Amino acid sequence: MSNKEQVCVTGAGGYLASWLVKLLLSKGYIVHGTVRDPSDNKNAHLKKLDNATENLKLFKADLLEYEGLCTAIEGCIGVFHVASPLPSPGEYVPKEQLMEPAVTGTRNVLNACSKAKVKKVIVVSSVAAVALNPNWPKEQIMDEECWSDLEFCEAIKNWYFLAKTAAEKEAWECAKRSNLNVITVCPSLIIGPLLQPTMNATCLYLLNLLKDGSELVENRTTPHVDVRDAAESLLLVYEKPEAEGRYICSSHEISTQDLVDKLKLMYPQYNYPKSFSEGMVWTRVSSRKLQDLGWKYRQLEETITDAVKNYEERGVLAS
């Protein structure tokens, strides 16, 4: 990377985006970050990052406002499109509230990238755009060739999976139309410590297991990835000239019950679910393509330790 290369990160104040901004600043990039309100206290953590004073500029921009995105992206060599709506566990969000920011937002960002003649665009998709495919052979590990089935997502009313799949497909359509160099990364459930002041949906997943104390919880097997490893994957595919296409980003698959057993051994003092019902088992996903590019990931225990310490320091978990 040439010194002082300028890049844009959408949704800069979010969970994954905050870690990406921190990483980019540490590597000497000048970062344009889009946020809904630069003066909002929930973005204050970004201004405190190392090198932020000189190399971070926050722009007021909404995914549905094309002009604001153009202003933020102007002059940038690369763009990381991270912003996307994510419901909290158990929260119902209507289809339109997920689809419009995901699909129209992606189109707006990529059109702004085309206008600004951006050299490379990294779009954060999700394993949600990979894993919901009833036609994929059950015993076959899912790779980048597998796509969630839009009709199936629609039929079972899984609007989040529908939105992420439709948004990634839109990214590839835009890439074809505009001849943009686009790469998509599909992280699994992101966990680990957070930089932003408010708990987000994926943080609540782990926090709820530590303090819920429910009588019965669904024992689903879920792929996870550390938020810092996910941020590293985005920079890796951006910086590697040979990177192309889609990349699944996932490190550990574990059932809810096994995760709780691990947490109990590490932190016996917390209030865990009492019993487990049989739950969904995700078809396994492979990050081999990303690993072949040079991606490495942390052990699950390190992620858990750093996350729990972070929750305790914030007072959301009484130590």
Side-chain angles (χ1 to χ4, degrees):
M1 181 206 74
S2 60
N3 196 30
K4 300 290 187 185
E5 191 170 299
Q6 196 160 278
V7 296
C8 180
V9 177
T10 66
Y15 183 34
L16 173 57
S18 293
W19 281 102
L20 175 61
V21 170
K22 179 181 168 74
L23 180 60
L24 288 165
L25 290 172
S26 76
K27 302 283 186 185
Y29 285 88
I30 295 171
V31 181
H32 287 190
T34 75
V35 292
R36 288 205 177 126
D37 180 2
S39 62
D40 192 324
N41 211 37
K42 69 179 185 182
N43 297 313
H45 65 287
L46 296 172
K47 297 168 187 174
K48 294 175 191 162
L49 294 171
D50 287 351
N51 302 327
T53 310
E54 321 83 73
N55 290 343
L56 175 66
K57 186 174 181 186
L58 297 181
F59 290 78
K60 179 179 171 58
D62 185 280
L63 288 179
L64 300 179
E65 293 166 3
Y66 174 69
E67 293 304 327
L69 292 168
C70 286
T71 304
I73 290 169
E74 190 180 349
C76 291
I77 302 294
V79 170
F80 297 84
H81 178 36
V82 191
S84 187
L86 177 63
S88 294
E91 178 191 10
Y92 175 76
V93 178
K95 177 181 173 182
E96 295 69 30
Q97 282 183 32
L98 288 173
M99 288 293 283
E100 196 182 8
V103 180
T104 308
T106 296
R107 188 183 308 129
N108 285 342
V109 169
L110 290 183
N111 284 343
C113 289
S114 178
K115 184 184 176 187
K117 296 185 167 45
V118 168
K119 288 187 178 169
K120 199 168 191 179
V121 188
I122 311 303
V123 175
V124 178
S125 181
S126 168
V127 160
V130 175
L132 213 50
N133 187 332
N135 303 313
W136 190 264
K138 279 195 166 48
E139 65 289 342
Q140 193 174 324
I141 292 176
M142 286 178 166
D143 60 18
E144 287 77 9
E145 296 300 311
C146 186
W147 282 84
S148 290
D149 186 291
L150 288 170
E151 286 180 11
F152 185 66
C153 293
E154 184 88 49
I156 65 169
K157 294 182 166 52
N158 192 324
W159 307 138
Y160 178 68
F161 279 57
L162 181 73
K164 291 305 289 187
T165 308
E168 190 184 346
K169 284 182 179 287
E170 180 64 33
W172 288 116
E173 284 300 314
C174 290
K176 211 181 294 178
R177 268 198 313 273
S178 311
N179 208 22
L180 274 170
N181 181 9
V182 170
I183 292 172
T184 61
V185 177
C186 303
S188 56
L189 182 70
I190 301 176
I191 58 173
L194 60 158
L195 294 171
Q196 84 276 16
T198 51
M199 298 296 286
N200 72 310
T202 51
C203 295
L204 289 171
Y205 163 77
L206 188 60
L207 183 65
N208 288 346
L209 291 180
L210 288 152
K211 62 189 292 190
D212 188 341
S214 298
E215 286 301 318
L216 189 66
V217 165
E218 186 186 359
N219 185 31
R220 53 171 58 204
T221 300
T222 310
H224 301 79
V225 67
D226 187 295
V227 64
R228 296 161 294 185
D229 296 332
E232 290 274 3
S233 78
L234 301 178
L235 185 57
L236 179 73
V237 298
Y238 178 73
E239 290 188 337
K240 288 271 188 180
E242 65 270 31
E244 61 175 359
R246 304 174 91 196
Y247 288 88
I248 291 171
C249 177
S250 184
S251 50
H252 304 284
E253 289 171 9
I254 190 168
S255 70
T256 313
Q257 188 165 1
D258 287 346
L259 181 55
V260 166
D261 287 345
K262 191 180 278 290
L263 288 166
K264 275 183 181 172
L265 281 173
M266 296 170 75
Y267 305 97
Q269 70 271 33
Y270 290 120
N271 190 21
Y272 296 101
K274 309 289 187 289
S275 57
F276 300 87
S277 65
E278 199 170 320
M280 182 180 86
V281 178
W282 284 60
T283 306
R284 291 173 60 206
V285 295
S286 168
S287 296
R288 173 53 54 199
K289 185 183 175 194
L290 189 58
Q291 287 173 279
D292 287 347
L293 202 63
W295 183 65
K296 295 178 174 61
Y297 56 81
R298 290 163 171 78
Q299 290 304 305
L300 184 57
E301 288 76 10
E302 183 185 342
T303 302
I304 290 170
T305 302
D306 291 349
V308 171
K309 184 182 176 203
N310 186 268
Y311 300 164
E312 289 173 348
E313 285 170 352
R314 288 165 176 271
V316 293
L317 195 60
S319 56

